[in-house]
Amino acid sequence: MTALLLPAAILSPIRPALAAEADDKVIAIRLADLLRSARTIVSQHQDLINNPDLGDKGLTGERVLAEVAALYQKQTGHDLRTIDPASREGRLLRAQMDAIKEVVDGNQSTINKAGIGFKGFIPAVFARLVNEKFAERVGNEARVKVTAPEPLVRNRKARPDAWEIAVISSKFSDSQWPKGAPFEEKTTADNRAAYRFLVPEYYVPSCLTCHGAPKGQMDITGYPMEGGKAGDLGAAISVTLYE
Ligand code: HEC
């Protein structure tokens, strides 16, 4: 009895501090969800962004971030205003929020260009830029990436690494894998111990104007279409939390 109690007694002062920190999975889910909300807000404004008759669209970083935070809260029940900025979760979510604002503010001249309809400012490009800005801020601690099954990848920067390829092919491509269920593993990334989290996403009809059929035909962005169908595995959000 005494032998069992001793380690607990030694550990007990540390417990409250540990309990206050959100665990890896919670943080990974929140980073993935916030990125998804951000893509959705850009998607909801796509017609506005593509409007050639309008210059200033009023789509500032501040406005977009406020809409993203509101949508994220509606969809997850989590209020970003309650996060402790000193916690790891708070630091990472704040970095992602700052990245969202920075990317929108940094693309005002594109967004507000009059006389041009399609400007290439689409959710996928926006998400990639946000993930790059996030890495500039906290890349030593965490990474967020949107990748896809290897044959579907358009931008080289989005190519899945060996771990992502293995999870996509052995888990997500298995017909028994529950739709939308993420995979998590304590492993390594970039030769460092890391918690890794990958969540699959599937094409919905709106994706198919670019990723659909006929396969090989150019879409509006100048990429050959992948021949995807609604429900196909089309993407995966990858979150890495280094130890
Ligand atoms: C307007 C055309 C268009 C639509 C609609 C579209 N995409 Fe894309 N998608 C692109 C382009 C262009 C890229 C390359 C972006 C870049 O440069 O990083 C891309 C990149 C991606 C990527 C990142 C990996 C890669 O190939 O570089 C994923 C995943 C993806 N799209 C999935 C989707 C899904 C899922 C939907 C629907 C919810 C969707 N896309 C809707 C054009 C589109």
Side-chain angles (χ1 to χ4, degrees), residues 52-66:
D53 303 325
L54 211 61
D56 187 358
K57 314 230 171 13
L59 221 48
T60 61
E62 201 176 341
R63 174 176 162 201
V64 168
L65 179 58

Side-chain angles (χ1 to χ4, degrees), residues 118 122 124-125 128 146-148 152-155 158 202-204 206-207 209-211 219-221 223 234-235:
F118 185 70
I122 59 171
V125 171
R128 175 168 55 75
V146 180
T147 185
L152 302 180
V153 170
R154 294 182 164 203
N155 191 309
Y202 308 88
Y203 287 138
V204 294
S206 68
C207 314
T209 49
C210 294
H211 295 285
D219 72 9
I220 186 176
T221 69
Y223 278 96

Side-chain angles (χ1 to χ4, degrees), residues 118-160:
F118 185 70
K119 304 166 184 71
F121 195 79
I122 59 171
V125 171
F126 169 70
R128 175 168 55 75
L129 296 174
V130 167
N131 292 336
E132 287 171 7
K133 292 295 177 197
F134 177 80
E136 281 174 17
R137 289 178 156 79
V138 290
N140 202 33
E141 268 188 275
R143 296 287 171 125
V144 180
K145 169 184 172 188
V146 180
T147 185
E150 223 177 357
L152 302 180
V153 170
R154 294 182 164 203
N155 191 309
R156 289 175 56 87
K157 292 181 184 168
R159 285 203 309 215

